[in-house]
Amino acid sequence: MNQTPVVRAVRADEWARAKEFRLDALRDPAAPVAFLDTYEDAVQRPDSFWRERTEGSARGASARQFVAGLADGGWAGSVVVLVERRGATDVLGGRSDHDQAHIVGVYLRPEHRGAGLLKELFDAAVAWAWSLEEPRAERVRLFVDERNGRARAAYRKLGFEPTGETLPVRNDPAAREFELAVPRPGV
C-alpha cells in the first residue's frame, strides 16, 4: 500500500481523527516545549469541542488545518493557520499590529520527519494565507520556544526569520518564545 502523504485541508467529518492526532501529538516527548496545551487537558474535552474545532478548520475563513493524509486513512502531519486582524486580540492574547496569519499546532509523526513533509505542509498553509482577500495578510508568523532548537532550525530553513519579538512561555516565565515570520512576497 502506498503510504506517501498527500497534503490537503482537513475535512469537517474528520473530527475523531483530528482528536486522535492531537492527543498523539501531546504525548510526544517534545510536547512540553512545542504546544501550549497538555494531554491531560485535551483528553478531557468533549467530542463537541473536537467537532466544532475541526468544522471551523475545514470551512472557516479565519482558520484552516492542513493534514498530510496517508492511504490507510492515518495522518503523518498537520499544521493549523489562524487569521489575525490588525487591532484585534491575537491568538496569544495580545493586540495584533498586522493583518497576518499565525501558524500553530505543527506536528509530524517521528517516522515522517526529515523527508520534506514539513515544507509541503507549510507551503499549503502559507499559500492559503496569501490567497485570502480579506484580510490581506501582510505576513505569516509563528512562535517557537527557545528550548526547541530543532523546530527553530526547521522554520528558519523554510524562510521564517526572527522578528526580534519574544514572549515569556506561558507555564515557564523564565523561558522565552521567539517570533519568526515571513513577509508577503512583493511587500
Side-chain angles (χ1 to χ4, degrees):
M1 181 183 295
N2 181 2
Q3 287 293 295
T4 302
V6 175
V7 174
R8 60 174 175 78
V10 71
R11 294 186 294 263
D13 65 352
E14 294 182 299
W15 69 268
R17 174 79 62 201
K19 175 183 177 180
E20 172 191 343
F21 190 80
R22 179 67 172 183
L23 293 175
D24 286 350
L26 292 171
R27 285 189 290 255
D28 186 277
V33 297
F35 301 111
L36 297 177
D37 198 4
T38 66
Y39 176 84
E40 294 75 21
D41 289 341
V43 76
Q44 297 297 319
R45 294 188 181 109
D47 287 347
S48 59
F49 169 87
W50 300 101
R51 281 187 189 100
E52 290 172 21
R53 180 176 173 156
T54 305
E55 287 172 6
S57 294
R59 297 189 182 117
S62 62
R64 186 65 45 102
Q65 181 177 12
F66 292 91
V67 300
L70 300 168
D72 67 5
W75 292 353
S78 175
V79 301
V80 176
V81 188
L82 305 172
V83 175
E84 297 175 326
R85 291 183 171 271
R86 179 190 317 271
T89 302
D90 66 23
V91 173
L92 299 172
R95 186 174 178 87
S96 180
D97 293 332
H98 304 274
D99 283 330
Q100 62 193 1
H102 189 145
I103 294 179
V104 299
V106 178
Y107 181 69
L108 292 179
R109 293 193 186 279
E111 64 271 23
H112 294 281
R113 295 176 186 160
L117 186 56
L118 184 65
K119 181 180 182 333
E120 290 182 47
L121 284 163
F122 267 65
D123 285 351
V126 171
W128 180 77
W130 296 154
S131 77
L132 297 172
E133 292 184 23
E134 184 57 36
R136 188 170 188 268
E138 300 166 32
R139 67 186 191 151
V140 177
R141 73 171 183 166
L142 56 83
F143 279 86
V144 61
D145 190 299
E146 66 185 350
R147 298 165 293 183
N148 197 344
R150 184 182 77 207
R152 204 167 61 246
Y155 301 147
R156 296 284 308 269
K157 187 175 178 183
L158 295 173
F160 284 75
E161 294 293 331
T163 66
E165 179 79 24
T166 66
L167 296 172
V169 173
R170 185 180 296 172
N171 298 326
D172 184 358
R176 307 295 297 168
E177 287 195 76
F178 298 118
E179 181 186 57
L180 305 178
V182 61
R184 182 181 200 87
V187 173

